Amino acid sequence: MDLKSRKKIQRSWMMYDFGNSAFATTIMAAVLPVYYSTVAASGLDDNLATSYWGYSQSISVLIVAILAPILGAISDFSAAKKKFLRFFAFMGIIASLLMMFIGEGDYIFASLLFIIGSIGFSGANVFYDGFLPEIADKDEMDKVSSGGFAFGYIGGGILLAINVVMILSPDVFGLPNTEWATRLALASVGIWWFIFAIPLLKNIKEEKKQQVTRTKSYVAIGFNRVGNTFREIKQYKQLVIFLIAFWLYNDGISTIIRMATVYGSEIGIAQNDLIIALLITQFVGIPFTFFFGWLATKINPKNALYITLFTYLGIVIIGYFMNSALHFYLLAIIVGMVQGGAQSLSRSIFGRMIPAGKHAEFFGFYGISSKFAAVVGPFMFATIGHLTGNSRLGILSLIFFFVAGIILLRFVDINKGILEAKEASNPKDDVIVKTK
């Protein structure tokens, strides 16, 4: 492939992220949770609506976690990534378009469409990620990957900004009221995603692979891989301690991201305030992600990560007492300051302790296992709110995830973890050292 063609395909690949990130911002985080609480579940008690949204989140994450290793195996063994990418992308696009028809009392329909859309979004991303090594050389892979993330932030933020204006001023767009503006905002995700998926689906070419004879199903191959990685990863004590700490505190972070707006809606914060606050989070996150990357070089990554996690503890406590839009705006800004930093620092710490030649395998396990762990937080939040009739107690339960994660993180010695990885990568050198 010549340079001009490769650059064109790389731009097309990044534009897909520009389009599909609207699902994460508008549907997962900002607009749908509020609409679900105020309209789709309008006939239910407020705390019950919040609980049902939490159950929907847990179910969607669980299904995605189960599918991830299977789809990963399909991506590695088949020469049909483009076909599967198209299938799952269209699943998410159609589910988003159908959200326009969610009306009062349609919470079951809304939950079903959200689950289907989440499967489409995450399933397509498996095959989208799988194209990266085919479209970028090793020396440009980080640049192209980062470009995809940046385009995603921008694309998701732009559509959310348009949707905020549409919901605040429906008459400007010729719409009768806020409800119909919100319905159109949800459907706009499908249109946006489809338009910016076209360049990738048009320009990407499947890399020809030598036919591999499989003796097992994709299901068996996928879960065998996860099992093998789990057995191997147990050799690395520091890595395992960090991974368990990550499962705990990341579950808390994931729950805040997924439940914030529906919780805010339950306690009486207006829809417009909730959505604008989430838009602020989106754009605050960009510079602060870079800031924590810089801070890690000054005070080391673990200490920088501590700052983000103690900040999240404060967010949970403030969230328990929150009762005004001003409080929610404050929390949105603080979340934006630490969200990207916590995730990027976690990934870099984990990456430092992986033995050479195991990055793809261990990062695959990192992603899949964190999805399984992320089922617990929303389910606990929803269950406590459901049983007690008070979602404030549900958010307070998240303290456990952060405190437990911080305590375990204290036992992680990154330098020992790096040494363990080096010894595993160079067993012969290790033997020589020990015999001297």
Side-chain angles (χ1 to χ4, degrees):
M1 185 191 305
D2 61 74
L3 180 62
K4 184 178 179 181
S5 297
R6 190 168 77 248
K7 293 298 181 185
K8 180 180 178 181
I9 290 173
Q10 289 173 358
R11 286 193 298 271
S12 300
W13 186 84
M14 288 185 244
M15 289 309 296
Y16 179 84
D17 213 324
F18 186 94
N20 84 328
S21 291
F23 186 89
T25 54
T26 294
I27 289 178
M28 282 185 169
V31 178
L32 182 60
V34 180
Y35 187 74
Y36 186 97
S37 177
T38 58
V39 178
S42 58
L44 301 175
D45 291 339
D46 288 343
N47 73 287
L48 203 56
T50 304
S51 295
Y52 285 174
W53 178 250
Y55 295 143
S56 301
Q57 293 283 353
S58 290
I59 291 168
S60 67
V61 173
L62 180 61
I63 293 172
V64 166
I66 292 170
L67 283 177
I70 302 168
L71 299 180
I74 293 171
S75 177
D76 288 346
F77 278 84
S78 74
K81 287 195 294 293
K82 185 175 179 179
K83 183 195 300 181
F84 283 103
L85 171 61
R86 185 189 298 116
F87 172 80
F88 282 101
F90 283 174
M91 180 189 293
I93 288 166
I94 292 168
S96 302
L97 292 169
L98 290 175
M99 288 179 187
M100 187 172 185
F101 300 102
I102 300 171
E104 286 191 21
D106 292 336
Y107 63 92
I108 295 175
F109 182 47
S111 291
L112 184 63
L113 287 179
F114 174 76
I115 291 167
I116 292 170
S118 296
I119 293 169
F121 173 76
S122 298
N125 278 343
V126 171
F127 300 100
Y128 168 75
D129 292 341
F131 274 115
L132 180 59
E134 297 182 15
I135 66 167
D137 297 333
K138 286 184 178 181
D139 59 346
E140 59 183 357
M141 202 174 292
D142 286 341
K143 181 180 177 182
V144 175
S145 178
S146 299
F149 273 110
F151 270 61
Y153 269 117
I154 295 167
I158 289 173
L159 184 63
L160 182 57
I162 294 169
N163 288 334
V164 167
V165 174
M166 186 161 56
I167 292 167
L168 290 175
S169 306
D171 53 308
V172 173
F173 292 82
L175 299 168
N177 52 45
T178 299
E179 180 182 331
W180 274 102
T182 306
R183 290 189 185 199
L184 187 59
L186 295 172
S188 72
V189 171
I191 298 168
W192 187 269
W193 188 350
F194 174 73
I195 289 171
F196 292 105
I198 291 172
L200 180 65
L201 296 176
K202 179 183 176 183
N203 297 324
I204 197 76
K205 297 290 188 295
E206 193 79 52
E207 187 179 73
K208 292 183 180 179
K209 291 187 175 184
Q210 187 176 357
Q211 189 65 36
V212 178
T213 303
R214 289 185 295 110
T215 57
K216 298 178 180 177
S217 68
Y218 286 125
V219 176
I221 291 171
F223 282 100
N224 278 347
R225 283 179 170 186
V226 175
N228 290 337
T229 306
F230 179 73
R231 285 188 289 273
E232 184 174 354
I233 211 169
K234 288 191 294 184
Q235 301 176 53
Y236 309 99
K237 181 182 176 182
Q238 299 301 319
L239 191 64
V240 169
I241 297 171
F242 174 76
L243 196 56
I244 296 171
F246 170 74
W247 289 341
L248 288 163
Y249 70 71
N250 189 62
D251 200 359
I253 293 171
S254 177
T255 304
I256 288 173
I257 293 169
R258 293 170 179 273
M259 300 299 296
T261 48
V262 74
Y263 170 71
S265 178
E266 179 192 332
I267 63 175
I269 298 172
Q271 176 183 1
N272 295 344
D273 289 318
L274 293 169
I275 296 172
I276 292 171
L278 264 293
L279 181 62
I280 292 170
T281 299
Q282 182 77 5
F283 288 103
V284 168
I286 299 172
F288 273 93
T289 300
F290 290 112
F291 167 75
F292 273 101
W294 169 83
L295 186 64
T297 65
K298 301 298 180 182
I299 63 172
N300 82 53
K302 186 175 167 182
N303 287 335
L305 181 57
Y306 275 136
I307 292 173
T308 68
L309 298 183
F310 278 109
T311 303
Y312 267 113
L313 264 179
I315 288 168
V316 171
I317 294 167
I318 296 171
Y320 175 78
F321 292 103
M322 178 173 65
N323 55 28
S324 71
L326 181 61
H327 293 158
F328 196 83
Y329 278 111
L330 175 63
L331 285 179
I333 292 169
I334 298 172
V335 168
M337 290 168 64
V338 296
Q339 180 175 297
Q343 293 172 332
S344 62
L345 289 169
S346 298
R347 183 167 61 181
S348 66
I349 290 171
F350 184 79
R352 289 166 188 260
M353 296 188 285
I354 297 175
K358 298 285 185 181
H359 284 80
E361 178 184 344
F362 278 33
F363 266 117
F365 183 80
Y366 176 83
I368 292 165
S369 61
S370 66
K371 285 184 175 67
F372 275 108
V375 174
V376 180
F379 184 79
M380 180 183 289
F381 187 110
T383 302
I384 290 174
H386 192 170
L387 294 177
T388 63
N390 186 352
S391 291
R392 289 186 186 274
L393 296 177
I395 196 168
L396 205 59
S397 70
L398 300 183
I399 288 177
F400 162 76
F401 294 101
F402 291 110
V403 170
I406 289 168
I407 290 171
L408 272 179
L409 191 60
R410 287 179 57 83
F411 294 95
V412 176
D413 186 323
I414 298 175
N415 290 327
K416 278 187 180 179
I418 294 171
L419 185 60
E420 287 175 354
K422 284 183 178 178
E423 289 176 348
S425 303
N426 304 292
K428 290 181 181 178
D429 293 345
D430 187 39
V431 171
I432 292 171
V433 170
K434 287 181 178 179
T435 55
K436 283 185 178 180

